[in-house]
Amino acid sequence: MRRHPYRRTAALAALAIVGLASLAACGGEDDAGGGSSGPTTLRLGYFPNITHAPAVVGVEKGIFAEKLGSDVKLETKTFNAGPAAIEAIFSGALDATYIGPNPTVNAHSKSKGEAVRVISGAASGGVALVVKPEITSVEQLRGKKIATPQLGNTQDVALRFWLKEKGITTTKEGGGDVKIVPQENAQTVETFGSGAIDGAWVPEPFVSRLVNAGGKVLVDERDLWPDRKFVITNLIVSTKFLKAHPDVVKKLVEAQVAANAFVTANPDQAHQAISDHIGKITGKPLDLKLIKQAWPTLEFTNDPIASSLKTGLDHAVAVGLTQPVSLDGLYDLTYLNEVLKAQGKPEVSQP
């Protein structure tokens, strides 16, 4: 049987077209940084609360979209706890996130220093121990129940170490001189009001909510740190994304610096943006009076205050909640300092 060369050529051409169409379809899927045919996708995480104000305001006011530009497609994801955000980075579902110091250390430790890099600070302060008004000294905490957001989280470590320094014992199981009760912050407001707990070491806006529920601040955590500064929120990026898209990471840092400048210079607009944005996420805008009450306890800074993260790790080791970990390589402030220098602002020392 005679072959028809033209039919064979047409068949091969058809197969080639199908193959190219398949490749184009695959390339159009913007995963973990996107394809070469379209904008790079940046998946950014943050928490819908006051201590993540630069992220909340930056997204709500379009600061991130502006600084990232048309070549970057911004996708945002919100979280209520650090471990969930870290798991999203580990699974490849997230490229960068605003997060607290303890989850940052855990991510660095679990990945043996490979998974994440701190590229900027975001916020300092905004944490306190609020107690029943009749409690006026640390000694009166003996036999009392004090809540923290989560066993081993940043505030939990701070409370346990502070009590340890005062000669007061605690255990991970809730025993000792002071019984520590890890629970969700929203639940803490209810249990404090009902008398089930006697106080809580929590971040804003829950400090203000507890004060409004009849509590008083026994310890402002700022008073325990040099210059009253300690990291409550920093910005981290996956090393995979950093290596693949350094240009996008620099733009992200530019957006963070711009957002910090905005919330500092325009507090009233920032308060409204936070209230509106949280309302879009949760269905209930955050009370403006509560935001204004909490605001003075926070400082929005591009400095990640690395020394406080290291000290916090030392505290966690001292109270038996973690093992010593090397923090070598955790910080990469190259782009932050480039951005600050270009704006004539003081650079941040690389740890």
Side-chain angles (χ1 to χ4, degrees):
M1 180 177 176
R2 184 182 176 186
R3 295 182 182 272
H4 295 278
Y6 295 110
R7 288 180 185 174
R8 182 171 179 270
T9 301
L12 287 172
L15 285 172
I17 291 170
V18 171
L20 287 170
S22 299
L23 285 171
C26 291
E29 295 177 0
D30 242 351
D31 61 339
S36 59
S37 60
T40 299
T41 298
L42 170 64
R43 297 162 302 177
L44 177 67
Y46 60 96
F47 298 7
N49 64 36
I50 298 174
T51 57
H52 286 231
V56 175
V57 175
V59 172
E60 178 66 20
K61 301 295 287 186
I63 296 171
F64 282 88
E66 177 190 347
K67 294 297 181 182
L68 290 170
S70 59
D71 291 337
V72 180
K73 178 184 175 184
L74 177 64
E75 292 183 359
T76 60
K77 302 173 186 288
T78 58
F79 298 88
N80 291 311
I86 293 301
E87 181 55 39
I89 282 186
F90 281 0
S91 69
L94 198 66
D95 303 310
T97 189
Y98 285 82
I99 201 162
N102 198 64
T104 300
V105 171
N106 288 342
H108 184 74
S109 174
K110 288 180 180 179
S111 67
K112 294 180 170 52
E114 296 295 326
V116 300
R117 296 290 181 265
V118 176
I119 55 173
S120 178
S124 167
V127 181
L129 170 60
V130 182
V131 297
K132 296 291 186 182
E134 60 269 20
I135 299 174
T136 59
S137 71
V138 63
E139 285 298 320
Q140 289 179 306
L141 292 175
R142 293 182 185 273
K144 299 296 193 292
K145 292 182 179 179
I146 305 296
T148 62
Q150 185 179 21
L151 175 64
N153 97 312
T154 306
Q155 288 80 49
D156 187 74
V157 168
L159 171 60
R160 291 175 190 274
F161 184 78
W162 180 74
L163 291 171
K164 179 182 173 67
E165 282 200 313
K166 304 296 183 182
I168 296 177
T169 63
T170 63
T171 70
K172 287 184 283 188
E173 296 73 29
D177 298 328
V178 171
K179 295 172 173 55
I180 297 180
V181 186
Q183 57 188 224
E184 293 288 335
N185 289 327
Q187 181 186 357
T188 292
V189 178
E190 298 174 6
T191 53
F192 184 77
S194 69
I197 61 171
D198 302 289
W201 195 296
V202 288
E204 290 287 10
F206 299 97
V207 171
S208 296
R209 283 179 169 167
L210 292 176
V211 169
N212 294 346
K216 73 168 188 178
V217 173
L218 184 65
V219 179
D220 182 333
E221 193 177 335
R222 291 178 296 175
D223 295 332
L224 306 180
W225 293 92
D227 301 321
R228 306 188 84 215
K229 297 178 187 292
F230 65 98
V231 59
I232 184 65
T233 310
N234 51 209
L235 174 59
I236 67 174
V237 66
S238 77
T239 51
K240 180 180 178 182
F241 190 87
L242 176 60
K243 291 175 182 177
H245 305 285
D247 55 329
V248 177
V249 173
K250 184 173 182 179
K251 290 179 181 179
L252 174 60
V253 172
E254 289 175 346
Q256 152 57 31
V257 172
N260 258 7
F262 183 90
V263 299
T264 301
N266 307 280
D268 289 340
Q269 291 185 55
H271 299 164
Q272 189 64 58
I274 292 168
S275 177
D276 293 345
H277 194 73
I278 290 177
K280 292 175 184 176
I281 294 170
T282 67
K284 183 179 180 181
L286 190 60
D287 187 352
L288 277 172
K289 291 182 179 178
L290 195 68
I291 298 172
K292 291 180 180 180
Q293 183 179 345
W295 202 255
T297 69
L298 286 156
E299 178 183 353
F300 301 104
T301 172
N302 300 305
D303 186 345
I305 318 175
S307 59
S308 71
L309 183 140
K310 174 64 169 65
T311 300
L313 171 60
D314 293 342
H315 291 175
V317 172
V319 297
L321 290 177
T322 191
Q323 297 297 316
V325 176
S326 170
L327 298 179
D328 290 348
L330 174 58
Y331 291 85
D332 187 345
L333 306 182
T334 304
Y335 296 124
L336 174 62
N337 283 325
E338 286 182 6
V339 172
L340 294 175
K341 184 177 181 180
Q343 297 181 12
K345 297 178 180 178
E347 296 178 45
V348 177
S349 59
Q350 175 82 30

